[in-house]
Amino acid sequence: MSRFFSSDFHFNSTAIIKYAGRPFKTGEKMAEAYIRSCNQRARDPSDMIIHVGDFFLKGADHHGLGDEGLRVSAKEYLSKINAQVFLIEGNHDSNNIGHTHAKQLILDLGPYKCTSVSHYPSTDKGTWTLKGKDKEHLHIHLCGHVHEAWKWKLDLEKLVLNINVGVDQWKHQIVPEKKLIGYIMSLMASQEFKDALYPENAKIAKSLNGLHAPQLGTWDTDPVEEIWIPGQSSEKW
């Protein structure tokens, strides 16, 4: 079994295309592209796609965007995906009762043990919690919700590295676990990340020694993004 990650498909929505600047002419074309991505990468029925919130929009958008939706059921979209789909609840999944599996998830992501997964970044006040988090070490958190705004943010206030697995940051493709691990390793090994992190917090710098144990080159890599400074808002909806 292989694992894949993604977020913010927004199936059944048309307003999201304009809002997030997605390269699709219609909601139908967007849905076809995301289903094709799922089936081309997660080919085995035992494969697991962990979708981190906002899988499906039922009816009008409650943020007042006037999106009537495509009137296709969540069950119909799920039936077209060959792999298993584990759905984390997002803010647009509140009316999608019966399909979501959890609000938060804790899993081992390669060398990154006890990685947390939820729709919201740690930088969203009042929407993210993790009981028992070790506050002496940098914690990896997978999220969605912020669409095209950023791919990663370092939350120095909570010692959390947020990784946005949403389709708007990954070329509208689901992300293989191996590629995601490689991205995180490349990011944390970059000079930009070290320069921003080490001078300001010796405890985080010390904790990174163990996280860098696996060798780079074993995983696929991607370029780095940006640093979040406490006080900045990450809310997009």
Side-chain angles (χ1 to χ4, degrees), residues 32-42 172-174:
E32 290 173 5
Y34 293 162
I35 291 170
R36 183 168 60 250
S37 171
C38 290
N39 291 335
Q40 286 180 343
R41 293 195 170 192
H172 302 279
Q173 301 286 324
I174 62 173

Side-chain angles (χ1 to χ4, degrees), residues 38-220:
C38 290
N39 291 335
Q40 286 180 343
R41 293 195 170 192
R43 299 178 181 180
D44 194 291
S46 68
D47 289 345
M48 173 68 73
I49 300 171
I50 299 174
H51 186 275
V52 191
D54 287 0
F55 179 81
F56 174 80
L57 176 65
K58 180 180 179 181
D61 189 319
H62 70 269
H63 287 279
L65 297 181
D67 184 4
E68 291 293 330
L70 304 179
R71 305 188 186 283
V72 180
S73 69
K75 184 177 180 180
E76 185 173 340
Y77 287 120
L78 286 167
S79 70
K80 294 180 180 180
I81 299 174
N82 296 332
Q84 303 176 65
V85 183
F86 188 95
L87 297 177
I88 302 292
E89 183 179 314
N91 57 304
H92 285 287
D93 292 314
S94 59
N95 54 10
N96 184 20
I97 299 173
H99 296 289
T100 55
H101 296 96
K103 292 186 177 182
Q104 285 191 141
L105 183 66
I106 303 295
L107 50 78
D108 288 346
L109 188 71
Y112 307 113
K113 307 302 180 183
C114 297
T115 294
S116 61
V117 187
S118 74
H119 183 59
Y120 304 98
S122 69
T123 51
D124 278 36
K125 304 296 183 182
T127 57
W128 184 89
T129 59
L130 181 63
K131 294 182 179 179
K133 180 172 68 68
D134 182 357
K135 295 182 179 180
E136 298 299 316
H137 297 81
L138 186 67
H139 177 78
I140 306 297
H141 177 64
L142 308 182
C143 64
H145 190 56
V146 294
H147 295 279
E148 77 289 358
W150 46 262
K151 196 168 186 175
W152 69 270
K153 281 190 183 293
L154 179 60
D155 182 347
L156 293 175
E157 185 178 18
K158 298 187 182 77
L159 302 190
V160 176
L161 174 58
N162 293 274
I163 305 294
N164 178 8
V165 297
V167 286
D168 298 293
Q169 292 293 341
W170 295 89
K171 300 180 180 179
H172 302 279
Q173 301 286 324
I174 62 173
V175 189
E177 182 173 9
K178 182 179 178 180
K179 184 177 181 66
L180 183 59
I181 294 169
Y183 172 78
I184 296 171
M185 294 178 71
S186 178
L187 168 64
M188 295 175 70
S190 69
Q191 192 61 47
E192 180 182 359
F193 185 85
K194 292 177 181 178
D195 289 346
L197 181 65
Y198 288 3
E200 298 181 14
N201 196 314
K203 287 186 178 180
I204 302 179
K206 184 178 179 181
S207 72
L208 287 177
N209 293 334
L211 290 172
H212 281 189
Q215 293 296 312
L216 291 173
T218 308
W219 315 92
D220 298 325

